[in-house]
Amino acid sequence: MIEIQNVSTSFASAAGPFTAVDDVSLHIRRGTIQGIIGFSGAGKSTLLRNINLLERPTSGRVLVDGVDLVTLSDAELRTKRHDIGMIFQHFNLLNNLTAQENVELSLKFAGVGKAERRRRAAETLEIVDLADKAGTYPAKLSGGQKQRVAIARALATGPKVLLCDEPTSAVDPRTTSSVLQYLADVNAEFGITIVVVTHEMNVIKAIADNVAVMEEGRVVEQFDLAELQRPGFHPATSIGRYLVSDEIQLDRSGRGAHTTAASEGLINV
Amino acid sequence: MFDRILEVLPEIGVAMGQTLTMLLVAIPLAVLLGTPLGVLLYTIGPNGLKHRPKLHRVLDGLVNLLRSFPFLILLIAIIPVTRFIVGTTIGTAAVIVPLTLNAIPYFARFVEQNLSQLGGGVVEAARSMGASRSQIVRDVLIVEAKPGLVSSITIMTVSFISYSAMAGLVGGGGIGDFAIRYGYYRYETPLMITAIVLMILLVTIVQLGGSYVARRLDKRL
């Protein structure tokens, strides 16, 4: 469904060009949920934005449903984006529009007429169980509800792909599972291919079929989540092992921060 | 004292009418023409939707240039332009031209500032939904900036009540000019106070009305 081929993305910075995504290739099968995990600055959000070209790759090809997005004109790309929904860590809803109006917005951009917009937005809010909040402004919604409105907004145009950028990083743990449940339902019911970028391994464990581990712009490891159940399976890279262990390890001897920082190469001892 | 005020009451009425005319023509025109200019400044600016450094520098400079003129000097300096546009260089109509010319870049800056304060999140979301640049401006940026823009219009209107007092220089009249002529030049302090009280009332009404509308439009809380 999504074919990322040798994609690199660099930015100009004061200290010279900075490579956020470094020669990444990734194949995401139709109807699966792909996790992308890594620490801050690993390039995972940039890679996600490469899929709908919010961030245009410096080189490489991005095929969604067989179409190479990099070669499309601006207008063609905008049309294609109606097939690729996206949700964000901070929801990115319009504060001055109601839940219903927020959902209608994606339909408006897709050129859907007013009556049809109203009908389809109401239907989509139904999917995320927020029909009763249609007339409510985002400020009066909880974090989980806001993310569900954002999911509805992304789904309204009937996309084949849903990109999720840290979808649960701004909500509490209980809300996290509710948001993930809606994503899982959407995947199961409509067969939508989902890509989830996160730094939380428990999110990956809960929802992903496959995971790609990123570090310094590269995918350093990929595995099937079913592998985790297999006795004797260990991620090949240290960062993969660290993420899978999902534990916070502290040194309580009193010199911990110093030695940890030193081992990460952050300071010179 | 009250007799004197009653005596010039018709003149006060005319002066208030002139002030209102100046505001009611200049402010809407400034909003109408300043909004696209402000949107353009934002759009081609460093954090805009389509950065055009050279064009931005030219427009930015032009706006600064117009905003640098002390209003009194602008009033005189553009007399030829005024004559060309309204056919006269004296009277209320003649003041409206420099007032508007001053208000357009003033409001454009407000628009630019209001848009750049919105943050990139909603723009990024709109782009992901396949919005075009004009759709992003119309359906996202303006929608989110509306309460801020109403506050900006309020601030601008209050400033221009004060600016309009200089209209007397070209025979434009207005309540501020009335205060200067009767109060300052002719030492009729009660008349000056009357005019100032009227201006305070006008400013208060504009401010209260503007704040009320802005509050009604703002759904962030």
Side-chain angles (χ1 to χ4, degrees):
Chain A
M1 184 70 198
I2 302 172
E3 192 79 54
I4 298 169
Q5 295 174 352
N6 305 102
V7 162
S8 294
T9 308
S10 318
F11 302 106
S13 77
F18 166 74
T19 304
V21 173
D22 190 1
D23 193 26
V24 167
S25 295
L26 193 62
H27 174 72
I28 300 167
R29 288 198 315 277
R30 185 181 300 271
T32 61
I33 300 183
Q34 172 76 46
I36 300 175
I37 194 166
F39 298 118
S40 329
K44 53 195 191 306
S45 283
T46 305
L47 181 64
L48 190 74
R49 280 163 176 71
N50 283 154
I51 298 176
N52 60 359
L53 256 55
L54 279 187
E55 208 61 75
R56 205 170 259 278
T58 316
S59 63
R61 305 201 324 150
V62 180
L63 284 86
V64 175
D65 213 8
V67 179
D68 185 357
L69 299 194
V70 179
T71 62
L72 297 182
S73 70
D74 273 4
E76 287 169 333
L77 176 62
R78 286 200 299 273
T79 307
K80 187 73 187 167
R81 279 180 179 154
H82 304 315
D83 289 339
I84 310 172
M86 187 166 187
I87 62 172
F88 304 85
Q89 176 173 4
H90 298 294
F91 326 122
N92 296 352
L93 299 175
L94 272 70
N95 290 314
N96 291 326
L97 297 183
T98 62
Q100 167 91 17
E101 291 165 340
N102 263 289
V103 178
E104 283 182 25
L105 201 56
S106 64
L107 293 162
K108 188 175 189 182
F109 294 152
V112 178
K114 197 162 174 86
E116 177 73 1
R117 285 209 294 269
R118 201 163 293 165
R119 193 182 63 75
R120 271 165 68 180
E123 251 176 42
T124 325
L125 277 173
E126 199 86 52
I127 296 173
V128 294
D129 297 319
L130 283 176
D132 57 327
K133 300 285 184 192
T136 308
Y137 288 94
K140 296 269 190 290
L141 297 172
S142 70
Q145 288 170 332
K146 282 185 217 175
Q147 195 59 292
R148 280 149 63 193
V149 173
I151 292 172
R153 181 174 70 176
L155 290 182
T157 53
K160 299 184 183 109
V161 172
L162 180 59
L163 307 177
C164 310
D165 186 22
E166 302 272 9
T168 57
S169 298
V171 297
D172 65 49
R174 194 161 26 150
T175 312
T176 293
S177 53
S178 144
V179 167
L180 294 179
Q181 188 61 57
Y182 281 103
L183 293 178
D185 289 350
V186 161
N187 169 257
E189 273 178 53
F190 309 109
I192 295 177
T193 309
I194 297 182
V195 187
V196 183
V197 158
T198 180
H199 62 269
E200 301 167 301
M201 192 61 202
N202 58 353
V203 168
I204 298 288
K205 282 177 180 162
I207 201 170
D209 297 310
N210 304 283
V211 62
V213 181
M214 283 192 78
E215 188 180 25
E216 290 178 348
R218 285 183 302 276
V219 169
V220 291
E221 175 162 21
Q222 288 185 58
F223 55 87
D224 196 314
L225 261 289
E227 290 280 295
L228 278 182
Q229 311 302 323
R230 192 165 58 81
F233 171 78
H234 285 294
T237 60
S238 63
I239 183 164
R241 281 193 294 276
Y242 185 91
L243 288 164
V244 166
S245 78
D246 194 27
E247 281 161 13
I248 297 173
Q249 287 152 2
L250 296 183
D251 176 350
R252 294 194 59 190
S253 69
R255 293 278 297 159
H258 196 69
T259 48
T260 310
S263 72
E264 286 173 359
L266 297 176
I267 58 169
N268 296 314
V269 190
Chain B
M1 184 182 93
F2 287 107
D3 293 348
R4 180 72 183 127
I5 294 175
L6 282 177
E7 221 176 275
V8 294
L9 202 57
E11 224 178 305
I12 292 179
V14 170
M16 274 303 267
Q18 287 166 330
T19 295
L20 290 177
T21 309
M22 288 181 226
L23 295 177
L24 286 174
V25 178
I27 301 294
L29 270 177
V31 172
L32 211 67
L33 300 172
T35 303
L37 179 58
V39 166
L40 188 62
L41 272 172
Y42 167 78
T43 310
I44 63 174
N47 298 312
L49 304 169
K50 192 173 179 60
H51 187 31
R52 298 274 303 277
K54 270 188 198 146
L55 186 58
H56 183 258
R57 226 170 299 143
V58 171
L59 272 181
D60 196 61
L62 194 70
V63 165
N64 281 344
L65 183 102
L66 273 173
R67 304 241 308 114
S68 305
F69 275 88
F71 182 63
L72 211 58
I73 295 175
L74 185 78
L75 193 70
I76 311 286
I78 65 152
I79 278 178
V81 180
T82 305
R83 183 181 289 124
F84 176 76
I85 294 177
V86 291
T88 173
T89 60
I90 51 165
T92 307
V95 190
I96 288 174
V97 177
L99 268 180
T100 309
L101 202 67
N102 192 280
I104 291 170
Y106 193 75
F107 192 65
R109 277 284 182 245
F110 271 132
V111 172
E112 184 191 19
Q113 191 188 0
N114 274 304
L115 296 188
S116 50
Q117 273 172 356
L118 291 178
V122 283
V123 172
E124 191 175 42
R127 288 179 61 212
S128 80
M129 289 185 262
S132 64
R133 272 193 292 273
S134 63
Q135 282 173 326
I136 292 175
V137 169
R138 227 174 327 117
D139 297 324
V140 176
L141 293 174
I142 298 289
V143 168
E144 287 297 85
K146 223 183 272 171
L149 290 174
V150 169
S151 299
S152 300
I153 293 172
T154 309
I155 295 173
M156 180 171 70
T157 308
V158 169
S159 298
F160 278 76
I161 291 172
S162 161
Y163 280 178
S164 69
M166 292 177 228
L169 203 75
V170 291
I175 191 70
D177 173 50
F178 176 90
I180 294 171
R181 278 189 293 122
Y182 281 87
Y184 187 67
Y185 293 150
R186 291 164 66 166
Y187 302 108
E188 292 195 53
T189 308
L191 289 185
M192 182 172 73
I193 291 171
T194 307
I196 289 171
V197 167
L198 284 172
M199 289 178 86
I200 293 171
L201 267 175
L202 189 58
V203 167
T204 308
I205 291 167
V206 167
Q207 187 61 54
L208 285 178
S211 301
Y212 175 77
V213 175
R215 218 170 33 246
R216 284 292 300 272
L217 289 174
D218 196 349
K219 308 296 185 188
R220 277 174 302 179
L221 278 174

